Amino acid sequence: MKYVIACLAFFGLALTPARAQFDYTPGFEPGAPEELSVYAALEGQWTIQLYYPAADADAAEGWRWAEWAEASSIFEPRLDGAVMLERNSGFPISPGSTGAEGYDRWRYDVWWYWDRFSNVYRASIVDNLWGFVDIYEGTNAFDVSNLDTSTFNRGGPGGRAQKSRLRITERGDNRFVLEWWTLDMDVRVEGADRDAQPWQPSVRMVYFQAE
């Protein structure tokens, strides 16, 4: 009998936190946050034209966006609309690239969401090549970076740490643009905010749908 009472007491204590986790403070009601509605216009299937930064002495910045390849993507709400998931066919990998043998594309998914507790937008990117979850954030739903998060890649010169930034611009009917920018950590300006960092262009992605 004592054993039964002890088991009931244990499970009672174990279950109490499980019940309590569903309590919430007014203002943090469960369900799809209103802030996530900004991504609604992105829902659907998209064709993507990829561009890379090519050196151009005649351009004001010393480079220009050059056509590269095509990709595709689909945005769809998940988890009762609590997040927006993008499934992207990714970027083609050049034959002979070291460290990517057996892969033809770098594919990734992006979970776009609103963190109601920290009041920031976040994008969590997970890829097929490394199984790496890269976390971006920002107060602007269409401008997020991992500058101030703990994640980074080793794509800088000599494999040094590198940060990234995603910006969605030129949003319109059946079209928008997403650009990737990178920042090698050895040239990061300490104490400067994100906009003051010497970001370098990486990839321009023009999303469009057939009208």
PDB file of all heavy atoms in Angstrom, residues 5 34 57 69-70 79-80 93 95 134 145-146 163 168:
ATOM      1  N   ILE A   5       0.907   4.379  -2.745  1.00  0.00           N
ATOM      2  CA  ILE A   5       0.787   5.789  -2.349  1.00  0.00           C
ATOM      3  C   ILE A   5       1.999   6.575  -2.829  1.00  0.00           C
ATOM      4  O   ILE A   5       1.892   7.698  -3.324  1.00  0.00           O
ATOM      5  CB  ILE A   5       0.635   5.899  -0.820  1.00  0.00           C
ATOM      6  CG1 ILE A   5      -0.716   5.304  -0.389  1.00  0.00           C
ATOM      7  CG2 ILE A   5       0.746   7.360  -0.372  1.00  0.00           C
ATOM      8  CD1 ILE A   5      -0.892   5.221   1.117  1.00  0.00           C
ATOM      9  N   GLU A  34      -0.758  37.606 -34.141  1.00  0.00           N
ATOM     10  CA  GLU A  34      -1.163  38.568 -35.174  1.00  0.00           C
ATOM     11  C   GLU A  34       0.034  39.054 -35.971  1.00  0.00           C
ATOM     12  O   GLU A  34      -0.065  39.320 -37.175  1.00  0.00           O
ATOM     13  CB  GLU A  34      -1.877  39.748 -34.524  1.00  0.00           C
ATOM     14  CG  GLU A  34      -2.370  40.794 -35.501  1.00  0.00           C
ATOM     15  CD  GLU A  34      -3.063  41.958 -34.821  1.00  0.00           C
ATOM     16  OE1 GLU A  34      -3.381  41.840 -33.624  1.00  0.00           O
ATOM     17  OE2 GLU A  34      -3.273  42.989 -35.483  1.00  0.00           O
ATOM     18  N   ALA A  57      33.915  46.657 -62.781  1.00  0.00           N
ATOM     19  CA  ALA A  57      34.631  47.914 -62.521  1.00  0.00           C
ATOM     20  C   ALA A  57      33.803  49.129 -62.882  1.00  0.00           C
ATOM     21  O   ALA A  57      34.042  50.228 -62.358  1.00  0.00           O
ATOM     22  CB  ALA A  57      35.950  47.920 -63.285  1.00  0.00           C
ATOM     23  N   ALA A  69      21.282  30.823 -61.644  1.00  0.00           N
ATOM     24  CA  ALA A  69      20.540  29.582 -61.838  1.00  0.00           C
ATOM     25  C   ALA A  69      19.097  29.804 -61.395  1.00  0.00           C
ATOM     26  O   ALA A  69      18.726  30.908 -60.970  1.00  0.00           O
ATOM     27  CB  ALA A  69      21.177  28.458 -61.027  1.00  0.00           C
ATOM     28  N   GLU A  70      18.291  28.755 -61.496  1.00  0.00           N
ATOM     29  CA  GLU A  70      16.910  28.822 -61.029  1.00  0.00           C
ATOM     30  C   GLU A  70      16.709  27.890 -59.847  1.00  0.00           C
ATOM     31  O   GLU A  70      17.423  26.900 -59.682  1.00  0.00           O
ATOM     32  CB  GLU A  70      15.921  28.464 -62.146  1.00  0.00           C
ATOM     33  CG  GLU A  70      15.719  29.570 -63.160  1.00  0.00           C
ATOM     34  CD  GLU A  70      14.481  29.332 -64.033  1.00  0.00           C
ATOM     35  OE1 GLU A  70      13.870  28.243 -63.914  1.00  0.00           O
ATOM     36  OE2 GLU A  70      14.138  30.232 -64.826  1.00  0.00           O
ATOM     37  N   LEU A  79       1.498  24.243 -38.078  1.00  0.00           N
ATOM     38  CA  LEU A  79       1.174  24.236 -36.653  1.00  0.00           C
ATOM     39  C   LEU A  79       0.045  25.218 -36.343  1.00  0.00           C
ATOM     40  O   LEU A  79       0.172  26.115 -35.522  1.00  0.00           O
ATOM     41  CB  LEU A  79       2.422  24.546 -35.803  1.00  0.00           C
ATOM     42  CG  LEU A  79       3.585  23.572 -35.991  1.00  0.00           C
ATOM     43  CD1 LEU A  79       4.806  24.044 -35.219  1.00  0.00           C
ATOM     44  CD2 LEU A  79       3.185  22.163 -35.554  1.00  0.00           C
ATOM     45  N   ASP A  80      -1.074  25.009 -37.051  1.00  0.00           N
ATOM     46  CA  ASP A  80      -2.266  25.842 -36.860  1.00  0.00           C
ATOM     47  C   ASP A  80      -1.988  27.316 -37.133  1.00  0.00           C
ATOM     48  O   ASP A  80      -2.591  28.195 -36.512  1.00  0.00           O
ATOM     49  CB  ASP A  80      -2.827  25.669 -35.438  1.00  0.00           C
ATOM     50  CG  ASP A  80      -3.221  24.219 -35.149  1.00  0.00           C
ATOM     51  OD1 ASP A  80      -3.772  23.572 -36.057  1.00  0.00           O
ATOM     52  OD2 ASP A  80      -2.970  23.759 -34.019  1.00  0.00           O
ATOM     53  N   ILE A  93      25.221  23.213 -56.304  1.00  0.00           N
ATOM     54  CA  ILE A  93      26.618  23.074 -55.878  1.00  0.00           C
ATOM     55  C   ILE A  93      27.466  22.733 -57.093  1.00  0.00           C
ATOM     56  O   ILE A  93      27.155  21.803 -57.840  1.00  0.00           O
ATOM     57  CB  ILE A  93      26.753  21.977 -54.808  1.00  0.00           C
ATOM     58  CG1 ILE A  93      25.953  22.369 -53.562  1.00  0.00           C
ATOM     59  CG2 ILE A  93      28.218  21.740 -54.455  1.00  0.00           C
ATOM     60  CD1 ILE A  93      25.911  21.281 -52.506  1.00  0.00           C
ATOM     61  N   PRO A  95      30.077  21.177 -59.514  1.00  0.00           N
ATOM     62  CA  PRO A  95      30.764  19.878 -59.536  1.00  0.00           C
ATOM     63  C   PRO A  95      32.214  20.037 -59.081  1.00  0.00           C
ATOM     64  O   PRO A  95      32.892  20.997 -59.442  1.00  0.00           O
ATOM     65  CB  PRO A  95      30.683  19.460 -61.009  1.00  0.00           C
ATOM     66  CG  PRO A  95      29.483  20.191 -61.543  1.00  0.00           C
ATOM     67  CD  PRO A  95      29.479  21.509 -60.832  1.00  0.00           C
ATOM     68  N   ASP A 134      20.441  27.414 -38.192  1.00  0.00           N
ATOM     69  CA  ASP A 134      20.985  28.768 -38.099  1.00  0.00           C
ATOM     70  C   ASP A 134      19.858  29.703 -37.670  1.00  0.00           C
ATOM     71  O   ASP A 134      18.799  29.734 -38.309  1.00  0.00           O
ATOM     72  CB  ASP A 134      21.530  29.184 -39.469  1.00  0.00           C
ATOM     73  CG  ASP A 134      22.546  30.299 -39.392  1.00  0.00           C
ATOM     74  OD1 ASP A 134      22.873  30.735 -38.268  1.00  0.00           O
ATOM     75  OD2 ASP A 134      23.017  30.745 -40.457  1.00  0.00           O
ATOM     76  N   SER A 145      18.929  38.781 -39.019  1.00  0.00           N
ATOM     77  CA  SER A 145      20.325  38.354 -39.127  1.00  0.00           C
ATOM     78  C   SER A 145      20.701  37.510 -37.922  1.00  0.00           C
ATOM     79  O   SER A 145      19.989  37.489 -36.909  1.00  0.00           O
ATOM     80  CB  SER A 145      21.262  39.565 -39.221  1.00  0.00           C
ATOM     81  OG  SER A 145      21.453  40.147 -37.944  1.00  0.00           O
ATOM     82  N   ASN A 146      21.838  36.819 -38.024  1.00  0.00           N
ATOM     83  CA  ASN A 146      22.354  36.075 -36.872  1.00  0.00           C
ATOM     84  C   ASN A 146      23.515  36.813 -36.217  1.00  0.00           C
ATOM     85  O   ASN A 146      24.304  36.218 -35.484  1.00  0.00           O
ATOM     86  CB  ASN A 146      22.753  34.647 -37.266  1.00  0.00           C
ATOM     87  CG  ASN A 146      23.878  34.605 -38.296  1.00  0.00           C
ATOM     88  OD1 ASN A 146      24.429  35.635 -38.681  1.00  0.00           O
ATOM     89  ND2 ASN A 146      24.215  33.405 -38.755  1.00  0.00           N
ATOM     90  N   LYS A 163      28.964  35.657 -40.314  1.00  0.00           N
ATOM     91  CA  LYS A 163      27.562  35.908 -39.986  1.00  0.00           C
ATOM     92  C   LYS A 163      26.792  36.205 -41.267  1.00  0.00           C
ATOM     93  O   LYS A 163      27.378  36.506 -42.317  1.00  0.00           O
ATOM     94  CB  LYS A 163      27.444  37.087 -39.022  1.00  0.00           C
ATOM     95  CG  LYS A 163      28.026  36.839 -37.637  1.00  0.00           C
ATOM     96  CD  LYS A 163      27.138  35.907 -36.827  1.00  0.00           C
ATOM     97  CE  LYS A 163      27.595  35.804 -35.384  1.00  0.00           C
ATOM     98  NZ  LYS A 163      26.647  35.046 -34.548  1.00  0.00           N
ATOM     99  N   ILE A 168      14.178  40.847 -47.152  1.00  0.00           N
ATOM    100  CA  ILE A 168      13.131  40.689 -48.156  1.00  0.00           C
ATOM    101  C   ILE A 168      12.666  42.084 -48.568  1.00  0.00           C
ATOM    102  O   ILE A 168      12.260  42.886 -47.729  1.00  0.00           O
ATOM    103  CB  ILE A 168      11.945  39.873 -47.609  1.00  0.00           C
ATOM    104  CG1 ILE A 168      12.388  38.431 -47.313  1.00  0.00           C
ATOM    105  CG2 ILE A 168      10.776  39.868 -48.594  1.00  0.00           C
ATOM    106  CD1 ILE A 168      11.306  37.560 -46.704  1.00  0.00           C
TER     107      ILE A 168
END
